[in-house]
Amino acid sequence: MPPKVASVRFTVTPTKIDDLGAISDTSPDLSSSSRVRFSSRESVRDASRSEVYSDTSLATTAVDQASEGTTNPMDSAEDRSQTSVTEENSKLLDLDCRKNSVLYQNHTEDEGDSYDKNLALFEEEMDTRPKVSSLLNRLANYTNLPQGAKEHEEENEGKKKTAKTPRMGTIMGVYLPCLQNIFGVILFLRLPWVVGTAGVFHAFCIVFACCCCTMLTAISMSAIATNGVVPAGGSYFMISRALGPEFGGAVGLCFYLGTTFATAMYILGAIEIFLVYISPQAVIFHGDGAAEQAAAMLNNMRVYGTGFLLLMSVIVFVGVRYVNKLASVFLTCVIMSILAIYAGALKSTFAPPDFPVCVLGNRTLSSLHFGDCAKTVEEENMTLVTDLWNLFCNPHGQLNATCDEYFFHNNVTLIQGIPGMRSGIISENLWSNYLQKGEIIEKASMPSADYLSVQSQQYVLADITTSFTVLVGIFFPSVTGIMAGSNRSGDLKDAQKSIPIGTILAILTTSLVYLSNVILFGSCIDGVVLRDKFGDAVKGTLVVGALSWPSPWVIVIGSFFSTCGAGLQSLTGAPRLLQAIAKDGIIPFLRVFGHGKSNGEPTWALLLTAVIAELGILIASLDLVAPILSMFFLMCYLFVNLACGLQTLLHSPNWRPRFHYYHWTLSFLGMALCLALMFISSWYYAIISMVIAGMIYKYIEYHGAEKEWGDGIRGLSLSAARFALLRLEEGPPHTKNWRPQLLVLVKLDSDLHVSQPRLLSFASQLKAGKGLTIVGSVLLGDYLENNAESKAAEQALKHLMEQERVKGFCQVVVAQKQREGLSHLIQSCGLGGMRHNTVIMGWPSSWRQSDDSRAWKTFITTVRVTTAARLALLVAKNVSLFPGSREPLAEGNIDVWWVVHDGGMLMLLPFLLKQHKVWRKCKMRIFTVAQMEDNSIQMKKDLATFLYHLRIAADVEVVEMVRIQ
């Protein structure tokens, strides 16, 4: 009989869901994308029993046995039936194709556009409409809110919109959000001060190290983003689903705490801009001296910061649509402020701004308390003293007054605070000038007579003690925000492409801006002005604002609104991140924060976030909150790099990143850099944050809910276990390292209850959680029939082991005979070097009165098998009378009858028992039995030797030597 030849035909017919209703009223709900259905030979047979062909099948494979034009008369009835079904399918296919062809010709212009999109495999971001109008439209609709915030607000308004395919590209979806989150308050308020204090060289190193840290972390994030399908839900979902709940929960909580303290930092920055540079007269508390003024300013920061936090919380609670509408405004403020800095620096090259600074000798004077920078002035041929004179001389207004020695012997000089790029001021700003708290800011290049100054409040003083490490902690928050793009993963058209490109491009842009600003500030601005943190020498003017063009208010207003916007965005994103963690259930005590309003808004999470942010605001110092924020973000980045590096080294099968520039060495380099920056900035904060992150990880590992996300660290455990097992195989353990590794043989009744549960208590007391413990049992029957019962027996044993606090494993064997099953357990339990060397079993009860001889025969066989395997055997008689693990003995004796030379095991067992709290107060007595006196003397010597080597001679209360004839 010639072989059968089957041909396969399939037709792909693109249709839309609206068109399917015209074909069949019973069509199921399908997406708008084209579907292809392949039906094999078996599926055709199934179709003949039910529906021959469904109109919803957009493609079908028909098996045509008549393709060669011949028919075999020997074909079965089944084949003939199949042929008829195939012919019917072919007719329906032709009818379906003609029907869909007509429908396609009737598509409108808009439907045709949708049809083209359905067939497109790759499409550029802005090629379906004019580029300029598309860009303007997307800029108008730009939002930097986390994914889900806008949808929740629309639900609250009762809007029901059809689901749209995510169309955000790299620029609008990743690059601009990252740019807006990275640029922040530190750039405008602290970067000039960092440059002036650390010098251009050290400041460049600080900025470069921080930027390298975020760049290496972004590469690891890109590897995660390209490892399979990117889930919607942001960076937390992306990390947790890729690396497991332990890493995901630890990273998520660190990220949440960092974002929450970022809210406090942005609010404090906005309040500082408002009270120092916009409206100094709005202060509530005042002080006379420098110390009192500093304390009053802290109280002002607390009061205004709390008010700002309440206002922002109300805005977020009422509706995030207001934040959404202002997102483009905040972004514009950031971009315009940065452009104003570059324009001002370029203008200072040709026309430096008039920015005078008054210097006494080489000491910078605070211009808040005087007007003219001179000791005296000439008016109508009269010499008059100035306000500056009155500050240093007493009585006021007199030329012959007693003045401060330093003021009297040094001249007052007016210097330009912004001499411009062509002045060569960078040579003075190149090296560091770290100061102690209360130290006067001086210009080293100017002459000064060295006299002791009594007055100090008239000078510009350092408000904190500075060092390289302190500046690292203060500056690092300015490079965070690299996960803003990944937080919108569900809104991206191609997340695997947009997240790596957009994030890395944003980091490159911000790094270039930061590094260039370090050079520009050092080249254009005098060092005494850079080190003046609050602009006291220039009448409270923002230093960056004085450099900018066309007006300082561009920077002041722009930085204020951008800082407020960043605070709102942080306060919007942090509660949703906490809600996502709580809904996952990996941290049980946080589940209450997974609930919220009816539309899903995280009300309770917002409340907790506001409380934690208030703790940061009560600190009332931007310089003290920034290091705390740095620690949490560094811990987050450290976990990301560590997890990616481990996944690569362990060759996890689910770890297949397609990012071409990723390598495991970059992850470990980023992890080492994060760890170094943590300890450089603050070693005690680093230890505290590591303890918190470690506690989170261990809590999730031991008490968190099990999730089917994949466990990134499991491969490390398996590799470590494999390495340890191979090491144990290298040779037998030394006698000093010998300890009983137990195989506990228990018997299960018909209800799967252990007949002698005190055996497990005894094993737990003997091991005290150390070494190997295997609990084994035998079920009679056939494994194919009793497989489910075997699994249930294992669960029962695990439950009893948890109750008795036995740390180990359990194994249930199904065998036809009890003796065979016990023999299998003794032979096969364990793996490699982790095998049992001691067998514990109970004494057979009532074996003399029992008519069944199998009980004692099974016991004897087990003893023989144990002896043949050269294992130690412990037989517990009357085990039901043994104390439980929660029943400590107040007194008692442990009697050891040392009859034969057993290598010292009888001496070791009571010593191990006495380590447990149940037996700790018991006395140990040793009895020896010898028939001859010589043997008694030899046994006594051996006993003394064993007691000496075991180091338990002091624990033996009574030793009795008994000699029998």
Side-chain angles (χ1 to χ4, degrees):
M1 182 173 58
K4 301 178 183 179
V5 179
S7 63
V8 179
R9 300 180 302 173
F10 65 91
T11 305
V12 179
T13 307
T15 62
K16 295 181 63 177
I17 188 65
D18 298 331
D19 302 329
L20 293 177
I23 303 175
S24 175
D25 295 332
T26 61
S27 300
D29 187 15
L30 298 177
S31 62
S32 61
S33 60
S34 301
R35 300 270 181 101
V36 179
R37 177 181 174 184
F38 297 92
S39 61
S40 62
R41 185 166 182 169
E42 288 77 7
S43 64
V44 174
R45 297 172 185 168
D46 295 336
S48 65
R49 298 189 187 98
S50 55
E51 277 191 71
V52 177
Y53 182 74
S54 174
D55 293 331
T56 60
S57 302
L58 304 183
T60 306
T61 301
V63 181
D64 189 3
Q65 289 183 319
S67 58
E68 291 185 347
T70 60
T71 303
N72 194 342
M74 299 298 294
D75 288 346
S76 62
E78 180 181 357
D79 294 334
R80 288 193 298 272
S81 175
Q82 178 182 327
T83 303
S84 63
V85 171
T86 302
E87 294 173 355
E88 188 173 0
N89 284 342
S90 301
K91 295 178 182 179
L92 288 173
L93 271 173
D94 296 336
L95 177 62
D96 182 48
C97 292
R98 291 193 298 270
K99 187 72 174 178
N100 287 328
S101 176
V102 175
L103 289 172
Y104 172 70
Q105 292 175 0
N106 294 331
H107 282 332
T108 61
E109 183 179 353
D110 295 336
E111 293 173 338
D113 182 63
S114 175
Y115 166 78
D116 292 338
K117 290 181 180 178
N118 287 336
L119 288 183
L121 295 179
F122 302 98
E123 184 179 8
E124 297 296 333
E125 295 180 8
M126 296 184 292
D127 60 349
T128 58
R129 61 175 69 182
K131 295 183 181 295
V132 176
S133 62
S134 174
L135 180 60
L136 293 177
N137 180 62
R138 295 183 183 182
L139 284 174
N141 297 325
Y142 168 76
T143 174
N144 194 26
L145 293 178
Q147 181 182 351
K150 184 177 180 181
E151 290 78 356
H152 288 158
E153 196 59 40
E154 289 175 352
E155 290 179 8
N156 191 30
E157 296 177 353
K159 299 179 181 179
K160 293 184 179 180
K161 297 185 177 181
T162 57
K164 296 182 179 180
T165 305
R167 305 299 295 173
M168 295 191 70
T170 302
I171 301 299
M172 303 302 301
V174 181
Y175 178 73
L176 290 180
C178 286
L179 212 65
Q180 183 176 352
N181 278 266
I182 295 174
F183 287 133
V185 62
I186 302 295
L187 170 63
F188 305 111
L189 295 184
R190 293 295 182 266
L191 185 58
W193 173 72
V194 170
V195 175
T197 304
V200 174
F201 180 72
H202 284 184
F204 193 91
C205 293
I206 292 173
V207 174
F208 184 75
C210 295
C211 293
C212 286
C213 177
T214 54
M215 176 60 74
L216 294 174
T217 306
I219 293 175
S220 298
M221 284 289 299
S222 302
I224 297 175
T226 57
N227 181 46
V229 179
V230 179
S235 56
Y236 163 70
F237 281 91
M238 190 167 62
I239 295 172
S240 61
R241 270 57 179 178
L243 306 178
E246 289 87 357
F247 272 124
V251 171
L253 273 185
C254 289
F255 189 33
Y256 164 74
L257 292 175
T259 306
T260 303
F261 276 96
T263 303
M265 185 189 71
Y266 289 130
I267 291 177
L268 290 175
I271 299 302
E272 181 178 319
I273 295 173
F274 177 74
L275 293 180
V276 177
Y277 305 111
I278 297 179
S279 180
Q281 63 274 11
V283 296
I284 301 174
F285 303 96
H286 302 272
D288 296 331
E292 290 79 4
Q293 289 179 359
M297 180 55 69
L298 293 180
N299 292 328
N300 289 318
M301 299 283 284
R302 294 185 180 102
V303 173
Y304 277 95
T306 302
F308 264 60
L309 179 61
L310 289 176
L311 179 62
M312 290 182 177
S313 299
V314 171
I315 293 175
V316 174
F317 178 79
V318 172
V320 295
R321 62 181 180 274
Y322 302 111
V323 186
N324 183 23
K325 292 178 180 179
L326 293 175
S328 57
V329 176
F330 299 146
L331 177 64
T332 304
C333 291
V334 172
I335 296 176
M336 294 300 296
S337 300
I338 295 174
L339 293 178
I341 295 175
Y342 283 104
L346 183 63
K347 178 179 176 295
S348 68
T349 305
F350 309 99
D354 186 17
F355 199 65
V357 177
C358 189
V359 179
L360 176 62
N362 64 352
R363 299 178 179 180
T364 308
L365 293 172
S366 176
S367 61
L368 300 176
H369 307 291
F370 62 90
D372 296 326
C373 184
K375 294 182 179 180
T376 59
V377 293
E378 297 291 336
E379 290 185 5
E380 298 179 357
N381 297 325
M382 296 179 60
T383 302
L384 303 177
V385 298
T386 61
D387 294 337
L388 181 61
W389 179 281
N390 293 330
L391 290 176
F392 288 91
C393 301
N394 196 17
H396 301 324
Q398 298 181 12
L399 289 173
N400 58 351
T402 303
C403 298
D404 182 80
E405 289 291 330
Y406 188 87
F407 177 80
F408 183 77
H409 291 91
N410 287 276
N411 296 324
V412 177
T413 308
L414 197 65
I415 65 172
Q416 282 297 325
I418 304 180
M421 295 183 63
R422 301 173 62 182
S423 63
I425 195 67
I426 191 174
S427 60
E428 297 183 10
N429 298 331
L430 193 60
W431 304 108
S432 61
N433 193 352
Y434 301 114
L435 302 173
Q436 297 293 322
K437 182 178 180 179
E439 192 173 348
I440 300 173
I441 296 177
E442 299 177 348
K443 184 175 177 62
S445 61
M446 295 187 66
S448 173
D450 192 9
Y451 285 89
L452 182 63
S453 177
V454 179
Q455 305 288 338
S456 61
Q457 64 269 21
Q458 288 78 20
Y459 300 107
V460 179
L461 307 177
D463 63 328
I464 62 172
T465 300
T466 55
S467 63
F468 183 86
T469 59
V470 171
L471 297 183
V472 170
I474 293 176
F475 175 77
F476 186 80
S478 64
V479 297
T480 58
I482 61 174
M483 294 184 180
S486 59
N487 286 339
R488 307 181 58 84
S489 57
D491 296 333
L492 300 176
K493 176 183 176 182
D494 187 359
Q496 295 190 5
K497 173 185 176 183
S498 298
I499 291 177
I501 296 177
T503 305
I504 293 177
L505 186 61
I507 293 176
L508 289 175
T509 303
T510 54
S511 301
L512 180 62
V513 170
Y514 283 133
L515 294 173
S516 60
N517 279 338
V518 169
I519 304 298
L520 289 179
F521 293 155
S523 303
C524 299
I525 307 174
D526 195 281
V528 294
V529 179
L530 290 173
R531 290 189 289 275
D532 184 8
K533 183 187 295 184
F534 302 107
D536 294 336
V538 288
K539 300 185 183 304
T541 304
L542 184 62
V543 176
V544 183
L547 176 65
S548 64
W549 182 86
S551 172
W553 288 102
V554 175
I555 298 293
V556 174
I557 301 300
S559 61
F560 177 76
F561 281 108
S562 65
T563 304
C564 291
L568 278 172
Q569 291 154 11
S570 299
L571 192 59
T572 304
R576 285 168 174 78
L577 179 59
L578 179 62
Q579 185 185 42
I581 299 173
K583 285 185 175 181
D584 279 340
I586 58 177
I587 304 179
F589 69 87
L590 290 180
R591 288 176 181 172
V592 65
F593 299 105
H595 306 288
K597 294 193 293 187
S598 59
N599 63 342
E601 284 292 305
T603 306
W604 294 107
L606 175 61
L607 181 60
L608 179 64
T609 303
V611 171
I612 298 177
E614 177 63 20
L615 297 178
I617 290 175
L618 291 178
I619 298 175
S621 174
L622 182 65
D623 301 324
L624 297 180
V625 174
I628 301 175
L629 172 65
S630 300
M631 289 302 145
F632 287 117
F633 275 112
L634 282 170
M635 281 301 306
C636 176
Y637 299 161
L638 186 146
F639 268 104
V640 172
N641 288 302
L642 174 62
C644 291
L646 287 179
Q647 292 272 60
T648 306
L649 287 182
L650 297 174
H651 301 287
S652 300
N654 66 333
W655 180 248
R656 299 181 297 273
R658 294 188 297 275
F659 187 63
H660 298 294
Y661 303 101
Y662 170 75
H663 194 265
W664 64 269
T665 55
L666 298 178
S667 293
F668 280 104
L669 181 60
M671 182 195 68
L673 189 55
C674 289
L675 194 62
L677 290 176
M678 288 175 63
F679 281 93
I680 286 175
S681 58
S682 178
W683 63 269
Y684 46 90
Y685 278 168
I687 294 176
I688 294 174
S689 60
M690 292 178 68
V691 169
I692 293 175
M695 290 173 61
I696 295 171
Y697 183 92
K698 299 305 292 184
Y699 181 85
I700 297 174
E701 182 180 6
Y702 286 108
H703 299 285
E706 296 181 359
K707 294 293 181 181
E708 296 297 333
W709 301 340
D711 190 353
I713 202 64
R714 185 173 179 82
L716 179 62
S717 302
L718 292 175
S719 297
R722 173 181 172 274
F723 177 78
L725 288 173
L726 292 176
R727 288 291 303 271
L728 290 176
E729 282 287 303
E730 294 179 358
H734 195 271
T735 54
K736 293 181 179 180
N737 300 326
W738 191 93
R739 66 165 54 243
Q741 313 292 349
L742 304 181
L743 170 61
V744 184
L745 301 178
V746 297
K747 185 177 181 181
L748 298 174
D749 56 17
S750 58
D751 295 331
L752 300 181
H753 294 156
V754 177
S755 58
Q756 295 177 331
R758 287 299 172 90
L759 272 178
L760 297 182
S761 302
F762 177 69
S764 175
Q765 297 160 15
L766 189 63
K767 298 295 294 181
K770 303 298 189 297
L772 174 68
T773 302
I774 303 175
V775 180
S777 184
V778 178
L779 293 180
L780 298 179
D782 184 69
Y783 180 74
L784 297 178
E785 299 176 356
N786 300 322
N787 183 24
E789 187 178 0
S790 172
K791 301 298 182 184
E794 288 187 1
Q795 294 300 323
L797 287 179
K798 289 181 179 179
H799 182 67
L800 183 61
M801 291 172 66
E802 290 179 359
Q803 290 181 345
E804 298 295 337
R805 298 179 181 178
V806 177
K807 297 181 180 179
F809 311 96
C810 65
Q811 185 169 352
V812 177
V813 173
V814 181
Q816 297 293 339
K817 295 181 180 181
Q818 188 82 11
R819 286 175 289 179
E820 294 179 357
L822 292 175
S823 177
H824 294 334
L825 284 175
I826 294 173
Q827 295 179 60
S828 60
C829 277
L831 177 64
M834 288 294 291
R835 294 180 57 85
H836 57 280
N837 54 24
T838 304
V839 177
I840 296 182
M841 59 187 302
W843 184 267
S845 59
S846 305
W847 62 275
R848 291 181 181 274
Q849 291 78 18
S850 178
D851 296 333
D852 189 4
S853 61
R854 289 181 297 177
W856 63 268
K857 287 184 178 179
T858 300
F859 175 75
I860 293 176
T861 303
T862 305
V863 173
R864 289 177 176 176
V865 172
T866 305
T867 305
R870 303 181 65 82
L871 302 176
L873 176 63
L874 301 180
V875 180
K877 191 174 183 180
N878 297 327
V879 70
S880 59
L881 302 178
F882 283 26
S885 298
R886 298 174 178 85
E887 303 172 2
L889 299 175
E891 59 181 2
N893 298 321
I894 303 176
D895 294 340
V896 179
W897 290 84
W898 198 52
V899 181
V900 296
H901 191 291
D902 62 347
M905 183 176 179
L906 283 176
M907 306 302 160
L908 180 62
L909 293 180
F911 171 76
L912 295 177
L913 282 176
K914 283 176 65 63
Q915 307 304 310
H916 197 273
K917 62 181 180 179
V918 174
W919 303 87
R920 192 163 296 160
K921 296 182 180 180
C922 294
K923 298 179 181 179
M924 179 176 170
R925 299 191 306 180
I926 302 178
F927 297 86
T928 61
V929 179
Q931 294 182 354
M932 303 295 295
E933 184 175 356
D934 295 338
N935 294 339
S936 176
I937 296 174
Q938 183 62 36
M939 292 183 70
K940 183 184 294 186
K941 292 181 179 180
D942 294 342
L943 177 61
T945 303
F946 283 130
L947 294 178
Y948 173 76
H949 285 294
L950 293 175
R951 295 178 175 85
I952 61 175
D955 297 330
V956 179
E957 299 294 339
V958 180
V959 177
E960 296 185 2
M961 305 299 296
V962 178
R963 183 170 61 87
I964 61 174
Q965 297 296 330

